Amino acid sequence: MKSKLIIAALLSVAFNPAAADSKFVANLDKVVAESFKPGPGQDMSRLVQDETQKVCSETRNNPSAAQAAAINAREAATIKYPASGKLMGDWKNGEKLVKDGFGMRIGNIEPDKADRQKGGNGGNCYACHALDPKEVAAGNLGPSLTGYGALRGSGEEIVKYTYNKLYNTQATVACSNMPRVGHNGILTPEQVADVTAYLVSPESSLNQKK
Amino acid sequence: MQYKAMSLSLALALAAPLAWGEASVADYRAQLADKDANPGFLVIDRGEMLFKEKRGPKNASLEKCDFGLGPGKLKGAYAQLPRYFKDTKRVQDLESRLMTCMVTLQGYTEDEIKQKLYADQRKNEDNTPMEAIAAYVAYQSDGMKIDPPMKHAAEKDTVKLGEAMFWRRHGPMDFSCATCHAEEGKRVRLQSLVNVYNAKDIQATMTTWPTYRVSHGVVRNMQHRMWDCHWQMRTPDIDYGSPASVALISFLTNQAKGGIYDLPGIKR
């Protein structure tokens, strides 16, 4: 009986990749629990997936239309605005936040300083995006944001779209590679407003003609 | 001479950031490529001494350690890892197998070993014995084809589990390994990223680990790389030799099958 079960399991691996993949995904939570040891310095809650992370993991960032719509709705509902209601903040502070971002690294081997382990340190945007052309060390995992506001104007709709995208990119792009910067606490709503200003404001250094 | 230098720097300055970044990484690697000058060899030599030295509560060397080809058989062993081991009933990579031998042959405890796994490069520390020995054992597969066995069901399962883990999104950045390592021509800042689904690319990567890391001043191995990635993903520390880390390494090694080990590597 046992050998028949083993053969069946092996056959399912060989001829039904989708089912096999979901079998391994289901087993993964158990393996993860065995692979990260709790203790001081280890915030195990970071390993707990929310529904959106689960769907994006299982579908390898290729959700169905229905799944994508559900993700967009769920994530849009998380968006918080600054108490002032102003979605455009201080672009000079936004420029600093765009450049900085070291922080939120934990554990017992090379944790960041305690006050930098929570968010609010900056967005580390140059890891993935080109912005100011003077900064050559820019990644390309995300689209270029050079001249962002110069290209799009600074109307109310653009301001709101940009703020929302920064706060929770998956409100518009399900399973986007970009972190949910506001929702996950990387930046506060006020900081998101500052970065919005850096991107959109006509006064921002990002939008000056060279 | 001066004229030539000026026009080169002008060309570099005028080149698009993408081209400049990639050209300079390629130049950097070319300048490091003199194998005889690789400081990693000093660590390998030290690893050989430590491997043969009687150490631990049992005062024994590691010369009877079975890395998959039989006790004491080192040549080609790393090239055929990870693999399933009957005595531990699980798939193991080099680093976890080394820990098994340090425990069973030398009498160390896992907790003892895990107290201090890695050299702290911020304090200019030398590689730990574990790191040096792993570098030595891996080097015995220099010039050999990456060829981990895929016969045992556990070996196949572990590769599939590794791929599932590769796509798992978690942590405050919503990162998975795939966020950075599943597309062509991507870079973080100016550091180009390997695409594990491009055979040549992943072979170039996996054939050169363990590697001397210039920015660390020490040799690093795949377990450290798995730890480093998860640290940057803002998760807790992934446990040394854990099932998830071995599964990831199994997946990556399988992606790179057929590549020829060129050890020790040297990288940023």
Side-chain angles (χ1 to χ4, degrees):
Chain A
M1 186 55 193
K2 200 173 173 189
S3 58
K4 278 191 187 157
L5 282 172
I6 290 171
I7 289 168
L10 287 174
L11 278 175
S12 73
V13 169
F15 298 117
N16 198 347
D21 287 344
S22 59
K23 173 180 108 176
F24 293 108
V25 166
N27 195 31
L28 198 51
D29 283 346
K30 187 167 153 284
V31 171
V32 166
E34 292 166 10
S35 301
F36 294 82
K37 297 280 143 77
Q42 316 287 3
D43 178 1
M44 300 302 278
S45 72
R46 292 187 178 195
L47 296 167
V48 177
Q49 292 180 299
D50 66 16
E51 188 58 30
T52 296
Q53 287 172 331
K54 276 199 198 121
V55 172
C56 297
S57 302
E58 283 160 24
T59 63
R60 298 190 179 177
N61 300 322
N62 200 12
S64 69
Q67 287 171 321
I71 288 170
N72 291 152
R74 181 187 312 125
E75 299 306 320
T78 71
I79 295 177
K80 291 186 171 64
Y81 297 109
S84 64
K86 282 180 70 199
L87 303 192
M88 284 256 275
D90 169 7
W91 73 260
K92 287 193 180 144
N93 194 41
E95 186 172 20
K96 287 202 199 109
L97 292 166
V98 158
K99 287 179 184 175
D100 199 353
F102 292 100
M104 300 189 85
R105 292 170 301 195
I106 60 171
N108 292 323
I109 296 177
E110 279 185 43
D112 284 320
K113 289 203 170 84
D115 61 343
R116 285 190 85 93
Q117 283 188 20
K118 26 189 213 325
N121 308 301
N124 201 19
C125 310
Y126 280 103
C128 301
H129 292 283
L131 292 134
D132 186 334
K134 281 200 237 85
E135 177 58 80
V136 181
N140 67 357
L141 284 160
S144 169
L145 303 174
T146 304
Y148 182 92
L151 290 167
R152 293 165 177 79
S154 54
E156 212 180 294
E157 273 186 31
I158 277 294
V159 171
K160 188 159 193 207
Y161 168 80
T162 305
Y163 181 97
N164 288 349
K165 199 121 187 51
L166 288 167
Y167 193 95
N168 193 326
T169 185
Q170 295 206 37
T172 41
V173 179
C175 302
S176 166
N177 268 342
M178 175 162 154
R180 293 169 290 173
V181 170
H183 177 50
N184 291 352
I186 297 166
L187 294 178
T188 64
E190 289 73 21
Q191 289 173 326
V192 173
D194 288 345
V195 175
T196 303
Y198 176 65
L199 289 174
V200 176
S201 167
E203 278 82 51
S204 168
S205 58
L206 186 67
N207 297 317
Q208 301 315 310
K209 286 206 168 82
K210 301 291 164 183
Chain B
M1 241 2 199
Q2 216 179 356
Y3 179 78
K4 271 191 186 162
M6 220 171 70
S7 51
L8 174 65
S9 60
L10 207 64
L12 284 175
L14 290 171
L18 174 71
W20 184 90
E22 288 188 354
S24 69
V25 166
D27 289 343
Y28 175 80
R29 284 180 174 170
Q31 283 175 21
L32 293 177
D34 177 2
K35 199 160 178 179
D36 289 334
N38 190 331
F41 280 114
L42 297 172
V43 177
I44 286 170
D45 285 347
R46 195 174 132 244
E48 180 174 7
M49 288 181 349
L50 289 165
F51 184 82
K52 295 175 175 168
E53 188 185 317
K54 288 186 161 74
R55 301 176 75 239
K58 288 186 178 175
N59 202 39
S61 83
L62 288 166
E63 287 162 300
K64 288 208 172 75
C65 187
D66 182 356
F67 288 101
L69 302 182
K73 176 96 169 45
L74 296 185
K75 270 256 164 311
Y78 181 60
Q80 297 180 51
L81 284 169
R83 72 190 308 149
Y84 178 80
F85 286 88
K86 272 206 203 116
D87 57 2
T88 51
K89 289 193 177 56
R90 57 190 166 103
V91 174
Q92 291 186 275
D93 63 349
L94 168 65
E95 294 92 311
S96 67
R97 190 65 193 168
L98 178 54
M99 188 157 67
T100 298
C101 286
M102 288 172 78
V103 168
T104 54
L105 296 176
Q106 298 183 312
Y108 291 109
T109 64
E110 261 195 36
D111 281 343
E112 255 181 295
I113 297 167
K114 286 178 181 178
Q115 276 295 329
K116 182 62 182 172
L117 287 165
Y118 305 121
D120 187 340
Q121 75 281 3
R122 302 167 300 175
K123 298 178 186 163
N124 275 331
E125 290 179 353
D126 284 338
N127 279 118
T128 61
M130 165 76 82
E131 289 177 301
I133 295 166
Y136 163 66
V137 176
Y139 178 62
Q140 307 313 306
S141 287
D142 181 37
M144 300 186 187
K145 260 204 186 130
I146 295 183
D147 192 22
M150 277 275 267
K151 293 207 181 90
H152 197 281
E155 284 159 356
K156 297 178 189 160
D157 279 1
T158 301
V159 167
K160 284 208 140 63
L161 191 71
E163 192 170 17
M165 185 69 187
F166 184 84
W167 287 91
R168 190 182 205 262
R169 298 187 71 167
H170 41 207
M173 305 284 150
D174 297 324
F175 286 167
S176 66
C177 312
T179 304
C180 290
H181 291 295
E183 270 185 275
E184 215 43 45
K186 296 297 182 185
R187 61 172 196 271
V188 168
R189 289 275 185 165
L190 290 180
Q191 176 64 64
S192 53
L193 299 163
V194 63
N195 174 7
V196 310
Y197 290 102
N198 177 322
K200 279 216 149 51
D201 210 0
I202 187 65
Q203 281 173 352
T205 290
M206 295 306 285
T207 54
T208 51
W209 281 81
T211 183
Y212 181 80
R213 282 199 65 178
V214 171
S215 59
H216 290 205
V218 287
V219 171
R220 295 301 191 195
N221 53 45
M222 260 290 140
Q223 278 287 335
H224 186 272
R225 185 63 248 176
M226 294 300 105
W227 170 80
D228 199 331
C229 285
H230 284 85
W231 173 71
Q232 291 284 36
M233 287 161 69
R234 275 70 175 177
T235 68
D237 295 325
I238 190 165
D239 195 31
Y240 189 85
S242 58
S245 67
V246 172
L248 279 168
I249 291 169
S250 298
F251 165 62
L252 296 174
T253 307
N254 192 61
Q255 289 295 99
K257 240 178 171 149
I260 310 266
Y261 274 117
D262 182 12
L263 299 170
I266 183 159
K267 298 176 199 294
R268 181 191 74 86

